[in-house]
Amino acid sequence: MRSMDTRGLHYIVEASGCDPQILEDVNKLKEILINAAKVGKMDIRSVHLYKFSPRGISGLVIVSSSHISIHTWPEHGYAAIDVYICGQGSNPEEAIQYILQSIKAKHAHITEIERGIMDEEGLYTHTILSWDEIPK
Amino acid sequence: MRSMDTRGLHYIVEASGCDPQILEDVNKLKEILINAAKVGKMDIRSVHLYKFSPRGISGLVIVSSSHISIHTWPEHGYAAIDVYICGQGSNPEEAIQYILQSIKAKHAHITEIERGIMDEEGLYTHTILSWDEIPK
């Protein structure tokens, strides 16, 4: 069952100063993504991780109507994270905070996009808000 | 093999006035996503589609270091699309145009995010550009 409501929250995050060892550990990242979905109260459908040559991992968790993704560059301590969740009852911000803490990010540039909003002409659009933060 | 370069282009699209029959056809959407990855010159790793109750589909294509996703609401003629691609040699804009044409979108609100850019303090950030368009 999923919401008929088109509105969703999509967080787009650039994480700096992360722990390189965590960023290249497939099992650890898998555990982090699964726990993030649980912390965010999301309903997991499937989890996919790929390790690239020479370095770096892509991980995706498919949740109902939405997804979490992480793409890592261990050599730069950098990770690109997305959490997109539709409908009520989930906590995407808590999922993001959990991931940032788990990969030991020292800085995050975050953009929150509110998606699937109808404008005055009946067309779907989104709104954008960006900020920087030092993860706790 | 994937690029060491952290920079990537992420297109976030709200598509209005789409064909409801296509938005609830799992096989058709799967074909569209696979073709979009080909048109965009992306290297497909795996393809995942989920049909929800009462209506709506989520589809994800995992490509090297990146992903394509679509979440559909047939009852509203609405689809939320992401194409995120890292490294050189791909054509994410062509992938987006292919998807918009294939689902017969009448209007698209698009935000282009350039991700994984380093700022003057050595921290990763992103830049944002938004526009509206009428797909051809």
Side-chain angles (χ1 to χ4, degrees):
Chain A
M1 184 70 183
R2 80 145 185 208
S3 171
M4 304 280 277
D5 190 349
T6 57
R7 281 173 297 174
L9 276 177
H10 189 161
Y11 291 88
I12 303 219
V13 183
E14 317 296 320
S16 301
C18 309
D19 185 328
Q21 286 194 304
I22 297 172
L23 295 190
E24 59 188 345
D25 184 334
V26 172
N27 293 328
K28 184 73 189 160
L29 278 184
K30 187 173 186 177
E31 184 191 313
I32 290 169
L33 290 179
I34 291 170
N35 286 339
K38 286 180 186 165
V39 165
K41 293 184 179 161
M42 301 168 192
D43 175 29
I44 298 174
R45 295 299 169 116
S46 58
V47 184
H48 311 276
L49 281 105
Y50 293 88
K51 198 169 170 115
F52 293 99
S53 170
R55 293 174 81 185
I57 292 169
S58 286
L60 271 104
V61 179
I62 303 176
V63 294
S64 297
S65 330
S66 315
H67 62 267
I68 299 177
S69 70
I70 188 166
H71 301 293
T72 74
W73 283 259
E75 66 274 34
H76 298 297
Y78 165 65
I81 307 158
D82 284 58
V83 173
Y84 174 24
I85 186 82
C86 303
Q88 305 279 307
S90 295
N91 295 322
E93 283 194 74
E94 292 186 21
I96 284 289
Q97 292 304 328
Y98 177 83
I99 295 169
L100 290 173
Q101 287 162 24
S102 301
I103 61 177
K104 301 187 180 165
K106 291 194 180 60
H107 179 271
H109 182 73
I110 303 181
T111 291
E112 178 192 285
I113 304 187
E114 198 176 340
R115 301 184 68 166
I117 300 167
M118 192 175 276
D119 70 11
E120 62 277 12
E121 295 171 55
L123 300 168
Y124 289 100
T125 188
H126 51 233
T127 60
I128 294 173
L129 183 69
S130 299
W131 66 91
D132 289 285
E133 68 180 52
I134 310 293
K136 281 160 232 144
Chain B
M1 184 72 185
R2 82 145 182 208
S3 172
M4 304 281 277
D5 191 348
T6 57
R7 281 173 298 174
L9 276 178
H10 189 160
Y11 292 88
I12 303 219
V13 183
E14 317 295 320
S16 301
C18 309
D19 185 328
Q21 286 194 303
I22 296 172
L23 295 190
E24 59 188 345
D25 184 332
V26 172
N27 293 328
K28 185 75 189 157
L29 278 184
K30 186 173 184 175
E31 185 190 313
I32 290 170
L33 290 179
I34 291 170
N35 286 340
K38 287 180 187 166
V39 165
K41 295 185 179 161
M42 301 167 192
D43 175 27
I44 298 175
R45 295 299 170 116
S46 58
V47 184
H48 311 276
L49 281 105
Y50 293 87
K51 199 167 170 119
F52 294 99
S53 169
R55 292 174 82 184
I57 291 169
S58 285
L60 271 103
V61 178
I62 304 176
V63 294
S64 296
S65 333
S66 315
H67 62 265
I68 299 178
S69 70
I70 188 165
H71 301 293
T72 75
W73 283 258
E75 67 274 34
H76 298 297
Y78 165 65
I81 306 158
D82 284 58
V83 173
Y84 175 24
I85 186 82
C86 303
Q88 305 280 308
S90 295
N91 296 322
E93 283 194 73
E94 291 186 22
I96 283 289
Q97 292 304 328
Y98 177 83
I99 296 170
L100 289 173
Q101 286 163 23
S102 300
I103 61 177
K104 301 185 181 167
K106 291 193 180 60
H107 179 270
H109 182 73
I110 303 181
T111 291
E112 177 192 286
I113 304 187
E114 199 177 341
R115 301 184 68 165
I117 299 166
M118 193 174 277
D119 70 11
E120 61 278 10
E121 296 171 53
L123 299 168
Y124 288 101
T125 187
H126 51 232
T127 60
I128 294 174
L129 183 69
S130 298
W131 67 90
D132 290 285
E133 67 180 52
I134 310 293
K136 279 160 236 147

